[in-house]
Structure formats: structure tokens, C-alpha cells
Amino acid sequence: MKTQFETLLKNLDLELTDKQFNQFETYYKYLTEWNEKINLTAITDYDGVFMKHFYDSLTLTKLVTFNNQSLLDVGSGAGFPSIPLKIMFPELKVTIIDALNKRINFLKVLTEALDIDVTLIHGRAEEQNDKESYDLVTARAVANLNVLSELCLPFAKIKGYFLVMKGSKGEEELENAQSAIELLGGTHLQTISFEIENEMRTLLKIEKVR
Ligand code: SAM
């Protein structure tokens, strides 16, 4: 199993250590066990979780080089994309905010089991005060880009990046959100599109310029 995931991650130029692989296995175990009590994911099969949650989260490495930046993951749910990123880049300073307390409780137990240090906030992004504090802000499957830009861009520092994970409608959403992004001090730098198991993915890199 390790070799399969290892091979997959080579596509992203990522090397997987035994420790990291064990952390992903633990993540899978907790995710599927807790999913029986609280709704965390529709995907529960081993290959599906590794591909569509873990690998998918790590495709953000196509947009930026991760090291010791501060990263806010808005609406992280069961931890995507920030927990897989934290496993692969332990120096990242990750903060997660989610409106659902039961998901934050899951993440508390999970991060203890994985022995990783992540700041967990239960609340709505629009009610937080730590604006312009993060080098990177991420969001996957939270809201359409217009709303998402309002939620996320204020948290990015000047010269920081808002990294958006979208599906097949990414380009269309970007067109509709261009003026909102500009108003919020953002500028679109890059779009990367690719497929994961015949499903379209669109990654957007937006810089906070003012
Ligand atoms: N990002 C995860 C993923 O890709 O699997 C979770 C996606 S889930 C569909 C959306 C999550 O965003 C939910 O956990 C929800 O509680 C959270 N959410 C939605 N609006 C939010 C807001 N305004 N502030 C904080 N969290 C929010």
C-alpha cells in the first residue's frame, strides 16, 4: 500500500517517509471510524480516501512551495486540505476554522493521534478578527468563489496567497468573482487544471496585493 501512495506522490515531487505514511493510515482509520458517528465524508474506501482526499489536498503543491508559512484553512471539515499538508510539511503553522463543533472535536482527537500541532478554532470565518495574519489561506468545497473570496481574502497578509480548490466550474466561478476579488485587494495569478480519476480539478492562486 505504501508503494502505491509513494508512486502517486512522486507525481508531485514529494517523498513519503514511513512516519508520514503511518500518519496517513492513522488518519484513514480515525476518519472512517468517526464517520460512522458524525458526517465527515462520503468517500470511505481506502483507495478513494487516499486519492480524493489525501492526494487531492497535496495537489496544492502545484501552486506554491510549502515550508514554514502560516496557513489558515477555512471550512476544513475533516481536515482538508490542511492536515495532509501538515503531515507532509511539518514546519507549516496551520490554523483551522470550522463552523461545526463536532468536526473541530474530531480534529482535536485526530491531531493528538497524529502528534501534530494545529490551532483549531470553532466559529464562522466572518466572525474572526485575525485579519491580514496569514501567509496562505486555503479552502476546498466551502462556498462559491464570490462568497469564498469575502470569507478568505481578508485573512491573507499583503503578498500572501489565497489558494482555492475547485472542480470543473473553477474557471466560470473565477470570471464571476473577478470584481469581488479586485475589490478585496486580490489579483488572480494562476490557474491549474487537471483530472483526478476523470474528475476535473481547478486550482486558483490569488495574491493579496493591497
Ligand atoms: N474543506 C473540507 C473538504 O474539502 O472536505 C470540508 C468541506 S465541507 C463541504 C464545508 C465545511 O465548511 C463544513 O465543515 C462547514 O462547517 C464549513 N463552513 C462553511 N461555511 C463556513 C464559514 N462561514 N466559516 C467557517 N466554516 C464554514
Side-chain angles (χ1 to χ4, degrees), residues 75-77 80 97-100 103 123-126 140-142 151:
S76 185
F80 306 116
I97 177 157
D98 200 285
L100 270 187
R103 294 192 173 145
R124 300 197 66 81
E126 52 274 48
R140 187 184 84 157
V142 177
L151 286 182

Side-chain angles (χ1 to χ4, degrees), residues 80-195:
F80 306 116
S82 56
I83 300 287
L85 287 169
K86 176 71 181 170
I87 292 174
M88 291 308 291
F89 304 97
E91 302 294 306
L92 267 181
K93 299 181 221 29
V94 172
T95 301
I96 282 175
I97 177 157
D98 200 285
L100 270 187
N101 204 27
K102 55 188 181 171
R103 294 192 173 145
I104 292 292
N105 284 338
F106 163 71
L107 291 172
K108 234 173 249 168
V109 175
L110 175 73
T111 51
E112 273 170 29
L114 297 177
D115 196 21
I116 56 174
D117 193 14
V118 171
T119 303
L120 300 170
I121 303 171
H122 168 229
R124 300 197 66 81
E126 52 274 48
E127 289 162 6
Q128 299 308 303
N129 295 320
D130 47 345
K131 302 285 152 69
E132 293 200 5
S133 313
Y134 297 91
D135 299 311
L136 304 168
V137 184
T138 57
R140 187 184 84 157
V142 177
N144 79 54
L145 190 56
N146 262 311
V147 174
L148 202 59
S149 300
E150 271 185 54
L151 286 182
C152 295
L153 260 171
F155 289 104
K157 287 180 188 168
I158 305 290
K159 292 197 157 79
Y161 298 116
F162 170 31
L163 307 174
V164 192
M165 308 187 75
K166 288 285 175 188
S168 58
K169 301 257 165 67
E171 291 275 11
E172 194 181 316
E173 285 193 38
L174 178 63
E175 268 179 43
N176 294 331
Q178 279 287 15
S179 48
I181 292 169
E182 301 256 317
L183 267 176
L184 292 156
T187 188
H188 167 247
L189 293 186
Q190 194 183 1
T191 300
I192 298 182
S193 301
F194 53 94
E195 283 185 0

Side-chain angles (χ1 to χ4, degrees), residues 12-121:
L12 301 171
D13 287 330
L14 295 175
E15 295 275 349
L16 183 71
T17 64
D18 284 342
K19 179 183 174 185
Q20 287 162 333
F21 181 68
N22 290 336
Q23 285 175 309
F24 282 114
E25 293 248 283
T26 303
Y27 196 169
Y28 175 74
K29 181 170 162 277
Y30 275 74
L31 181 70
T32 47
E33 280 176 12
W34 276 67
N35 201 46
E36 287 173 15
K37 296 178 276 178
I38 62 168
N39 179 22
L40 292 171
T41 173
I43 303 164
T44 53
D45 65 293
Y46 185 90
D47 290 347
V49 168
F50 272 70
M51 180 66 110
K52 293 184 179 169
H53 285 319
F54 300 163
Y55 175 77
D56 187 59
S57 297
L58 295 170
T59 59
L60 279 182
T61 53
K62 291 173 185 275
L63 287 184
V64 290
T65 304
F66 291 94
N67 42 58
N68 61 353
Q69 302 103 320
S70 54
L71 181 153
L72 176 69
D73 191 13
V74 174
S76 185
F80 306 116
S82 56
I83 300 287
L85 287 169
K86 176 71 181 170
I87 292 174
M88 291 308 291
F89 304 97
E91 302 294 306
L92 267 181
K93 299 181 221 29
V94 172
T95 301
I96 282 175
I97 177 157
D98 200 285
L100 270 187
N101 204 27
K102 55 188 181 171
R103 294 192 173 145
I104 292 292
N105 284 338
F106 163 71
L107 291 172
K108 234 173 249 168
V109 175
L110 175 73
T111 51
E112 273 170 29
L114 297 177
D115 196 21
I116 56 174
D117 193 14
V118 171
T119 303
L120 300 170
I121 303 171

